[in-house]
Short mmCIF file of all heavy atoms in Angstrom, two decimals:
data_model
loop_
_atom_site.label_atom_id
_atom_site.label_comp_id
_atom_site.label_asym_id
_atom_site.label_seq_id
_atom_site.Cartn_x
_atom_site.Cartn_y
_atom_site.Cartn_z
N GLU A 154 -7.54 -9.74 1.62
CA GLU A 154 -6.88 -10.39 2.78
C GLU A 154 -5.41 -9.98 2.84
O GLU A 154 -4.64 -10.35 1.99
CB GLU A 154 -6.98 -11.90 2.70
CG GLU A 154 -6.39 -12.63 3.87
CD GLU A 154 -6.73 -14.09 3.91
OE1 GLU A 154 -7.91 -14.40 4.24
OE2 GLU A 154 -5.82 -14.89 3.61
N TRP A 155 -5.08 -9.18 3.86
CA TRP A 155 -3.65 -8.83 3.92
C TRP A 155 -2.93 -9.47 5.08
O TRP A 155 -1.74 -9.27 5.27
CB TRP A 155 -3.41 -7.33 3.84
CG TRP A 155 -4.00 -6.42 4.88
CD1 TRP A 155 -4.56 -6.72 6.10
CD2 TRP A 155 -4.07 -5.02 4.74
NE1 TRP A 155 -4.92 -5.60 6.70
CE2 TRP A 155 -4.67 -4.52 5.91
CE3 TRP A 155 -3.66 -4.10 3.74
CZ2 TRP A 155 -4.88 -3.14 6.12
CZ3 TRP A 155 -3.88 -2.77 3.97
CH2 TRP A 155 -4.46 -2.30 5.13
N TRP A 156 -3.61 -10.33 5.83
CA TRP A 156 -2.91 -11.26 6.73
C TRP A 156 -3.84 -12.44 7.01
O TRP A 156 -5.03 -12.22 7.30
CB TRP A 156 -2.43 -10.61 7.98
CG TRP A 156 -1.36 -11.42 8.66
CD1 TRP A 156 -1.44 -12.10 9.84
CD2 TRP A 156 -0.05 -11.67 8.16
NE1 TRP A 156 -0.30 -12.78 10.12
CE2 TRP A 156 0.60 -12.54 9.09
CE3 TRP A 156 0.61 -11.31 7.01
CZ2 TRP A 156 1.89 -13.02 8.87
CZ3 TRP A 156 1.92 -11.79 6.79
CH2 TRP A 156 2.54 -12.63 7.74
N PRO A 157 -3.30 -13.67 6.95
CA PRO A 157 -4.18 -14.86 7.02
C PRO A 157 -4.46 -15.41 8.43
O PRO A 157 -5.44 -16.05 8.63
CB PRO A 157 -3.45 -15.88 6.17
CG PRO A 157 -1.99 -15.54 6.33
CD PRO A 157 -1.95 -14.03 6.49
N LYS A 158 -3.56 -15.16 9.36
CA LYS A 158 -3.72 -15.80 10.68
C LYS A 158 -3.05 -14.96 11.76
O LYS A 158 -1.81 -15.00 11.88
CB LYS A 158 -3.08 -17.17 10.60
CG LYS A 158 -3.55 -18.15 11.67
CD LYS A 158 -2.94 -19.51 11.44
CE LYS A 158 -3.72 -20.59 12.15
NZ LYS A 158 -3.14 -21.92 11.93
N PRO A 159 -3.82 -14.20 12.58
CA PRO A 159 -5.27 -14.00 12.43
C PRO A 159 -5.59 -13.21 11.18
O PRO A 159 -4.71 -12.54 10.64
CB PRO A 159 -5.62 -13.21 13.71
CG PRO A 159 -4.37 -12.48 14.06
CD PRO A 159 -3.26 -13.39 13.64
N ILE A 160 -6.84 -13.26 10.74
CA ILE A 160 -7.22 -12.61 9.51
C ILE A 160 -7.39 -11.10 9.70
O ILE A 160 -8.14 -10.66 10.57
CB ILE A 160 -8.52 -13.21 8.93
CG1 ILE A 160 -8.28 -14.67 8.54
CG2 ILE A 160 -9.01 -12.43 7.74
CD1 ILE A 160 -9.52 -15.37 8.06
N PHE A 161 -6.66 -10.34 8.92
CA PHE A 161 -6.81 -8.90 8.88
C PHE A 161 -7.18 -8.45 7.47
O PHE A 161 -6.70 -8.99 6.48
CB PHE A 161 -5.51 -8.21 9.31
CG PHE A 161 -5.35 -8.08 10.80
CD1 PHE A 161 -4.65 -9.05 11.54
CD2 PHE A 161 -5.96 -7.02 11.50
CE1 PHE A 161 -4.50 -8.95 12.90
CE2 PHE A 161 -5.81 -6.91 12.86
CZ PHE A 161 -5.11 -7.88 13.59
N GLN A 191 -9.74 -6.84 12.19
CA GLN A 191 -9.49 -8.24 12.46
C GLN A 191 -10.81 -9.01 12.44
O GLN A 191 -11.72 -8.71 13.22
CB GLN A 191 -8.79 -8.47 13.80
CG GLN A 191 -8.47 -9.96 14.04
CD GLN A 191 -7.65 -10.18 15.33
OE1 GLN A 191 -7.14 -9.22 15.91
NE2 GLN A 191 -7.54 -11.42 15.74
N THR A 192 -10.93 -9.96 11.53
CA THR A 192 -12.19 -10.70 11.39
C THR A 192 -11.92 -12.19 11.60
O THR A 192 -10.81 -12.61 11.84
CB THR A 192 -12.82 -10.46 10.02
OG1 THR A 192 -14.08 -11.07 9.93
CG2 THR A 192 -11.93 -10.97 8.87
N TRP A 209 -0.94 -10.54 1.06
CA TRP A 209 -0.36 -10.68 2.41
C TRP A 209 0.87 -9.76 2.52
O TRP A 209 1.81 -9.80 1.74
CB TRP A 209 0.06 -12.13 2.61
CG TRP A 209 -1.10 -13.09 2.64
CD1 TRP A 209 -2.42 -12.79 2.61
CD2 TRP A 209 -1.01 -14.53 2.70
NE1 TRP A 209 -3.17 -13.91 2.68
CE2 TRP A 209 -2.37 -15.01 2.70
CE3 TRP A 209 0.02 -15.42 2.71
CZ2 TRP A 209 -2.66 -16.35 2.72
CZ3 TRP A 209 -0.25 -16.79 2.76
CH2 TRP A 209 -1.59 -17.24 2.77
N ARG A 225 -10.04 -23.71 3.59
CA ARG A 225 -10.72 -23.30 4.82
C ARG A 225 -12.16 -23.79 4.81
O ARG A 225 -12.79 -23.93 3.76
CB ARG A 225 -10.65 -21.78 4.95
CG ARG A 225 -9.25 -21.22 5.13
CD ARG A 225 -9.27 -19.71 5.09
NE ARG A 225 -7.91 -19.17 5.09
CZ ARG A 225 -7.60 -17.91 4.79
NH1 ARG A 225 -8.57 -17.05 4.49
NH2 ARG A 225 -6.34 -17.50 4.84
#
Side-chain angles (χ1 to χ4, degrees):
E154 183 170 285
W155 60 15
W156 198 248
K158 202 174 198 180
I160 294 176
F161 276 93
Q191 183 175 348
T192 186
W209 295 353
R225 296 173 187 166

